[in-house]
Amino acid sequence: MRKSLLLSINALCASTVWAQSPSPQSKLSVHWEELSAAEFHDAIARAQGACLLPFGILEKHGLHLPLGNDLLNVRYAALNAAQQEYAVVFPEYYFGQIFEAKHQPGTVAYSRRLQLDLLQETTDEMARNGCKKIIIVNGHGGNNSLLPFFAQTQLDTPHDYVVYVLGITRSGQGEPKHKSNPATDMHAGESETSMSMIARPDLVRLDRAPQESGADQARLKLPEGLYTGIWWFARAGRVRGEDVDQRHRPGDPRRESGPGEPALAKRVLRAEQTSAGDAAVGR
């Protein structure tokens, strides 16, 4: 894999129009599902066996962003990177970890065993089709523990391919100063909302953001280094008596730049695009 592929993913271009316009030098689609059988053979050869698996989720993102926000954003980055440094991009994949939000409308939470089995079957099938360097590009914070564990389990059985995991990029070199608190700029906050304003501005509804508070609820205080699975709900949720009013949105998108100046998103998406390109080191 060439180092430039990772550089390409992190160097995500800032224009939505550009994202929708494939490079004139590329006659082969980077979309796996758009290739014919004959084209697929040529695509794998051109990519030198490097394939991207953008990994998202279906869950609530406040009231102002779509359920598939993580998937939409990570695919935007991966597809643009692949257009700059050719790689084959696997179709929409959202079969990750989201147990903490399964009570929210529209959330799809698969069982632990199915998540791991499906991901293993998927990478096995990708490899059987010629993808010998598989870069899982993560777009969902709930997968931060799942994916490194999956990559490590590949050592249990011999494979003729390698799995790489590219983590979430939250900041980019030279980015402008945050308008919200970077310490709590996480789920559906300023950075993520900025990215959505680049990737799918038609789905961002900033006017709805003030209807829910994204403040850290701080209901669980653990000693440093101690972890428990409910930590996210404890920060993002708000419980009133027996009623659960789960906000599930730390961060403050209301402080986000206007649609005409999502400068923060441009920097972050460039960083993510470059990282995905760097992940292909050794191609």
Side-chain angles (χ1 to χ4, degrees):
M1 295 180 287
R2 288 192 292 265
K3 183 176 181 179
S4 53
L5 177 57
L6 284 188
L7 293 172
S8 295
I9 294 186
N10 271 350
L12 180 63
C13 109
S15 168
T16 302
V17 175
W18 177 88
Q20 297 173 345
S21 303
S23 169
Q25 298 178 353
S26 175
K27 294 183 180 180
L28 286 173
S29 173
V30 300
H31 295 254
W32 180 304
E33 67 274 21
E34 294 181 359
L35 296 164
S36 68
E39 290 173 334
F40 189 86
H41 180 272
D42 294 338
I44 292 295
R46 179 174 174 182
Q48 300 178 51
C51 299
L52 303 179
L53 175 56
F55 200 134
I57 205 74
L58 294 176
E59 65 162 331
K60 178 182 178 180
H61 284 78
L63 295 179
H64 65 293
L65 296 177
L67 293 168
N69 196 68
D70 292 346
L71 180 63
L72 295 170
N73 285 349
V74 75
R75 283 188 61 79
Y76 178 93
L79 290 168
N80 277 279
Q83 288 172 356
Q84 295 183 46
E85 180 70 21
Y86 192 84
V88 178
V89 181
F90 196 78
E92 282 83 353
Y93 196 95
Y94 50 86
F95 313 105
Q97 192 292 123
I98 189 58
F99 297 129
E100 64 272 24
K102 64 187 302 182
H103 59 288
Q104 287 291 349
T107 300
V108 178
Y110 294 92
S111 68
R112 173 184 56 190
R113 179 172 180 176
L114 182 57
Q115 290 174 43
L116 291 169
D117 286 351
L118 185 57
L119 188 53
Q120 189 67 68
E121 294 274 354
T122 298
T123 55
D124 285 349
E125 282 298 289
M126 291 176 70
R128 186 179 64 80
N129 279 282
C131 297
K132 302 307 180 182
K133 304 102 177 179
I134 300 173
I135 304 169
I136 301 176
V137 187
N138 185 26
H140 170 55
N143 294 330
N144 286 346
S145 297
L146 170 70
L147 294 180
F149 173 72
F150 173 76
Q152 199 166 29
T153 64
Q154 300 311 292
L155 304 179
D156 179 54
T157 305
H159 296 284
D160 64 346
Y161 65 94
V162 179
V163 171
Y164 301 87
V165 175
L166 178 62
I168 296 175
T169 301
R170 289 294 186 187
S171 61
Q173 186 176 6
E175 69 180 24
K177 183 178 180 180
H178 285 238
K179 295 184 178 182
S180 61
N181 182 1
T184 56
D185 178 21
M186 295 184 287
H187 189 75
E190 179 182 0
S191 296
E192 193 167 21
T193 301
S194 295
M195 295 180 196
S196 303
M197 292 171 70
I198 292 293
R200 288 298 304 270
D202 56 311
L203 298 179
V204 179
R205 301 172 177 85
L206 282 181
D207 59 306
R208 299 180 181 178
Q211 299 177 31
E212 286 193 343
S213 169
D216 186 347
Q217 301 302 306
R219 294 201 311 267
L220 181 65
K221 298 184 183 300
L222 296 175
E224 184 176 355
L226 187 63
Y227 175 89
T228 185
I230 200 64
W231 75 273
W232 178 255
F233 184 96
R235 293 189 65 178
R238 185 171 72 181
V239 179
R240 298 180 301 193
E242 295 181 356
D243 296 325
V244 176
D245 181 14
Q246 167 69 344
R247 298 303 183 176
H248 201 65
R249 187 181 62 75
D252 190 354
R254 293 170 291 179
R255 296 177 180 267
E256 172 48 38
S257 311
E261 52 169 354
L264 176 61
K266 296 178 183 179
R267 293 291 186 181
V268 173
L269 291 175
R270 283 196 193 100
E272 184 168 353
Q273 187 177 17
T274 302
S275 296
D278 286 339
V281 174
R283 184 164 89 177

